Amino acid sequence: MEQSSKQTYYSLLGLHPSASPIEIRRAYRELSKRYHPDTTSLPAALATAKFQQLNEAYATLSNPERRFSYDLKIGYSRFGVIQSPTDLNRPVSKSYDWSKSAYLDASDRPLSAGEIFALFILGLTFIGCLLLAIAVGLTRGETAF
């Protein structure tokens, strides 16, 4: 994508460079539905070009290594996030917003139902194997232990 002086992948998605991966994915999904050549009322050539730009932006910003390289290229630095707050020695009057912490992984997400089910099956398999090993040991006598 050829970029003008103001057009960045972030501005294409309508985001600030400090946007979280969740915000990037949400913006991409919304815009890709709007500009998909099969679902938009825009001319096919314009919709296809816009959709390709969105795909390129999302492919870059959703990959942490590519995003870091891109941020360096456009001159954005995340290192300011790790600086200590200016009001560090004042008493806390409001609760701390942990979503802005540099120490949380922004890609953390809750487990899906499929992942929980897979962990459940894994646990059942482990318990089943353990019980099977105990049963084989008991049937073969004390020499198995």
Side-chain angles (χ1 to χ4, degrees):
M1 174 178 138
E2 287 187 30
Q3 296 177 0
S4 64
S5 61
K6 297 276 182 185
Q7 185 71 15
T8 65
Y9 289 154
Y10 295 106
S11 63
L12 184 66
L13 294 174
L15 298 170
H16 186 271
S18 65
S20 72
I22 294 170
E23 293 169 322
I24 292 170
R25 182 174 50 239
R26 189 174 296 139
Y28 168 73
R29 285 184 178 171
E30 180 182 318
L31 291 171
S32 65
K33 288 177 190 174
R34 185 181 308 159
Y35 291 109
H36 193 280
D38 294 339
T39 60
T40 188
S41 60
L42 294 173
L46 179 63
T48 302
K50 186 73 169 176
F51 190 69
Q52 287 175 345
Q53 289 176 342
L54 290 171
N55 282 336
E56 184 178 337
Y58 182 69
T60 299
L61 298 180
S62 64
N63 181 312
E65 292 84 20
R66 290 175 65 187
R67 182 178 180 185
F68 180 74
S69 298
Y70 180 75
D71 287 347
L72 290 177
K73 179 178 160 187
I74 65 170
Y76 178 73
S77 174
R78 286 181 170 57
F79 294 119
V81 175
I82 300 176
Q83 295 174 352
S84 63
T86 56
D87 59 349
L88 186 62
N89 294 325
R90 290 189 204 149
V92 178
S93 59
K94 62 177 182 170
S95 63
Y96 184 72
D97 185 7
W98 289 101
S99 66
K100 294 182 175 54
S101 174
Y103 300 103
L104 292 178
D105 184 8
S107 64
D108 281 348
R109 59 174 178 73
L111 294 176
S112 69
E115 292 167 330
I116 292 172
F117 179 72
L119 288 172
F120 176 72
I121 295 297
L122 183 66
L124 282 180
T125 304
F126 177 75
I127 291 171
C129 289
L130 187 61
L131 292 174
L132 183 64
I134 291 172
V136 167
L138 291 174
T139 59
R140 293 203 176 185
E142 292 189 26
T143 59
F145 286 110

